[in-house]
Amino acid sequence: MQTHFEIDDWFIAEQNMKAKAWVDEDYEHLAKKLRRRGVEIEDLTSRAQAFSVAVPSWGVGTGGTRFARFPGPGEPRDIYEKLEDCGTIFQLVRSTPAVSLHIPWDRPDDARELRKFAQERGLHFDAMNSNTFQDGAEQKLSYKFGSLTHPDRIVRQQAIEHNLECIDIGRTLGSKSHTVWIGDGGNFPGQLHFRRALERYLESTRQIYEALPPDWRLFLEHKLYEPAFYSTVINDWGTSYYCARELGPQAFCLVDLGHHAPNVNIEMIVARLIQFGKLAGFHFNDSKYGDDDLDAGSIKPFQLFLIFNELVDAELNGVPDFNPAYMLDQSHNVTDPIESLMMSAVELVRGYVQSHLVDRQVLADAQEKCDPMLALTTLKEAFTTDVSAILAIARERAGGAIDPLQTFRASGYREQKASERQAEIGTLVGIV
Ligand code: LRH
Ligand code: MN
């Protein structure tokens, strides 16, 4: 009978023993520092423990580019092996109890069985994702020239029905939201009629919106460019916001950090969508140039902090119905996907906890008194506070690893999976 290696909780506890002394010392030291600022460290540790982010099922396989993909050992070959890896990430960092699926990549033969398999690993399903940016094997009509905005009504109907199928699968899996990202656009001037294309988008998404169960949310994901390289129908937050408003109260705007032109002030877009009551949530990642899908916080950690600063400000000011969905959306081309997803989840909790360190009274006074230097230094004081000990203790108290990377590597999990999962040529799980 094929065994499936899993890391034992006693092994994590054993590894934690090696780190316990230094992490407790650092925690005590940080507690003293924060007490001088009138901050109770235990308040931050419980906030860290309460933070959760969903991992993308498509992120546990090695990603690639149009040039190449270099698969790693022990790649997951199907949705069950992807969930095994998601379960291991959750076991070690404790802040990733949810998985976001992509259809048809993850179309389950038996959704009830899949839900049970996930629950056995402490996992539940976050937003569903449709895919009308590729032509699936059994598909009749091509999305080469678009999907929900395609000039041919029949192609649009095919794309709409695919989204309805995603919602249907999601209902059985217990998901409560559906993300629509389409690559529809043009590569040349004149290829698309900009206004008619947007009208077709609204006409199509309205049919998807009407199929939503009453307690579901529809997430519209904008993107500046790629795969279209001249015009993209849903290219920015303004267009997405207009559509979410037109569709109704269950439609919201999802912010993928990599979907903006370089140097765009994303934290201000977040503040706008919060103010307009239309922030769906995030696909967290990082990038230097395009939609590079690099690890969150790896390139612009201050931007990640400033985004969480807006989110925590809204949370603390009791913005009504404020319930953003946090998801990672990354492509791991040169790192072990499990290591990248673990460490990216850690960076999100870091940004969140540091944002709770901002002295909001001092910041508000500085803003009202037009004292930009005091405003900036108040934010920087929080951003430059090393909260690693809080994050480690929060993981440990939740049964996770004080040092997830060291514990994962010491466990030999990847090597075990390499022997368990003989790669079947052509099995493709990561984004290419
Ligand atoms: C598009 C995107 C979208 C997913 C895809 C995998 O760039 O961010 O969210 O469907 O990546
Ligand atoms: Mn995305």
Side-chain angles (χ1 to χ4, degrees):
M1 212 302 280
Q2 168 80 34
T3 58
H4 290 278
F5 174 81
E6 285 179 8
I7 301 175
D8 288 309
D9 290 339
W10 64 258
F11 178 81
I12 297 173
E14 187 185 71
Q15 298 302 309
N16 283 351
M17 290 316 294
K18 297 179 188 161
K20 193 75 177 110
W22 61 258
V23 79
D24 286 351
E25 193 182 307
D26 288 4
Y27 192 76
E28 276 328 300
H29 173 67
L30 180 57
K32 282 201 195 77
K33 265 180 76 170
L34 295 181
R35 209 163 291 128
R36 279 203 309 271
R37 292 189 211 170
V39 174
E40 181 34 58
I41 195 168
E42 285 303 322
D43 166 43
L44 296 173
T45 306
S46 45
R47 287 186 188 279
Q49 281 184 262
F51 183 91
S52 81
V53 57
V55 292
S57 62
W58 59 93
V60 287
T62 300
T65 71
R66 58 185 166 172
F67 300 105
R69 187 178 86 92
F70 302 98
E75 293 263 332
R77 300 163 298 180
D78 59 33
I79 184 55
Y80 288 90
E81 293 182 348
K82 290 180 190 179
L83 290 181
E84 270 187 352
D85 292 355
C86 293
T88 298
I89 294 166
F90 179 49
Q91 203 185 358
L92 293 168
V93 295
R94 308 311 288 162
S95 54
T96 59
V99 179
S100 192
L101 296 188
H102 222 298
I103 307 294
W105 296 340
D106 304 322
R107 180 181 286 120
D109 304 335
D110 179 333
R112 275 177 188 49
E113 184 196 80
L114 188 70
R115 184 173 183 171
K116 186 165 156 302
F117 186 91
Q119 281 166 339
E120 285 158 1
R121 288 155 181 75
L123 301 172
H124 64 271
F125 292 103
D126 202 297
M128 301 298 289
N129 294 269
S130 58
N131 178 341
T132 59
F133 51 85
Q134 291 173 326
D135 288 345
E138 72 297 337
Q139 196 178 303
K140 294 191 190 50
L141 303 164
S142 173
Y143 295 133
K144 178 175 180 179
F145 292 106
S147 60
L148 297 176
T149 73
H150 195 287
D152 180 339
R153 171 176 299 286
I154 311 298
V155 177
R156 299 201 298 273
Q157 200 52 41
Q158 176 184 273
I160 292 165
E161 273 146 30
H162 166 67
N163 280 275
L164 301 188
E165 182 212 0
C166 295
I167 293 171
D168 211 33
I169 295 170
R171 294 169 78 135
T172 311
L173 292 172
S175 174
K176 292 290 183 203
S177 53
H178 178 57
T179 298
V180 177
W181 170 70
I182 58 170
D184 294 25
N187 277 6
F188 302 99
Q191 181 180 343
L192 261 71
H193 187 284
F194 297 146
R195 290 183 286 113
R196 276 205 297 277
L198 187 60
E199 277 153 18
R200 288 195 294 259
Y201 174 83
L202 271 172
E203 180 204 299
S204 297
T205 38
R206 205 164 271 121
Q207 291 185 48
I208 299 169
Y209 185 89
E210 277 145 19
L212 281 180
D215 60 349
W216 274 51
R217 298 186 291 173
L218 184 64
F219 298 163
L220 309 181
E221 184 177 1
H222 60 273
K223 183 174 182 178
L224 182 65
Y225 78 101
E226 188 202 46
F229 292 108
Y230 167 68
S231 71
T232 292
V233 179
I234 309 301
N235 66 318
D236 67 6
W237 77 274
T239 306
S240 178
Y241 172 65
Y242 168 77
C243 295
R245 279 274 303 264
E246 287 295 303
L247 289 169
Q250 290 175 265
F252 299 86
C253 308
L254 184 133
V255 178
D256 183 311
L257 275 56
H259 289 187
H260 305 85
N263 308 324
V264 160
N265 188 327
I266 299 176
E267 55 271 23
M268 196 164 86
I269 292 172
V270 171
R272 290 280 182 275
L273 289 170
I274 290 171
Q275 191 159 5
F276 301 161
K278 280 295 184 184
L279 178 65
F282 297 85
H283 278 180
F284 286 112
N285 48 54
D286 212 334
S287 51
K288 189 139 183 77
Y289 305 104
D291 185 21
D292 311 337
D293 281 340
L294 299 173
D295 295 12
S298 63
I299 308 292
K300 304 188 287 289
F302 191 45
Q303 174 184 269
L304 186 62
F305 163 79
L306 292 172
I307 288 169
F308 274 106
N309 177 51
E310 292 303 326
L311 296 165
V312 167
D313 182 77
E315 180 189 318
L316 295 175
N317 285 292
V319 167
D321 310 325
F322 181 66
N323 170 23
Y326 297 150
M327 292 166 275
L328 288 164
D329 180 4
Q330 300 176 177
S331 176
H332 310 110
N333 306 350
V334 294
T335 57
D336 183 302
I338 289 180
E339 296 184 354
S340 274
L341 287 166
M342 287 196 304
M343 302 323 286
S344 300
V346 169
E347 289 315 304
L348 297 186
V349 189
R350 185 188 309 282
Y352 177 69
V353 168
Q354 286 176 328
S355 296
H356 273 284
L357 268 176
V358 172
D359 188 324
R360 299 206 171 262
Q361 192 47 57
V362 170
L363 180 62
D365 293 348
Q367 289 163 341
E368 295 315 307
K369 298 196 179 70
C370 305
D371 183 346
M373 184 47 65
L374 178 58
L376 177 61
T377 50
T378 302
L379 287 181
K380 276 292 185 73
E381 181 186 47
F383 175 64
T384 56
T385 301
D386 179 1
V387 295
S388 302
I390 290 173
L391 308 182
I393 291 293
R395 290 190 297 270
E396 186 216 8
R397 288 182 183 170
I402 287 174
D403 185 337
L405 195 59
Q406 177 276 336
T407 302
F408 175 71
R409 291 184 174 186
S411 75
Y413 180 92
R414 183 56 71 195
E415 294 73 15
Q416 288 283 346
K417 293 303 163 186
S419 62
E420 273 179 32
R421 301 169 178 174
Q422 293 312 312
E424 286 144 17
I425 301 310
T427 48
L428 172 55
V429 282
I431 294 183
V432 168

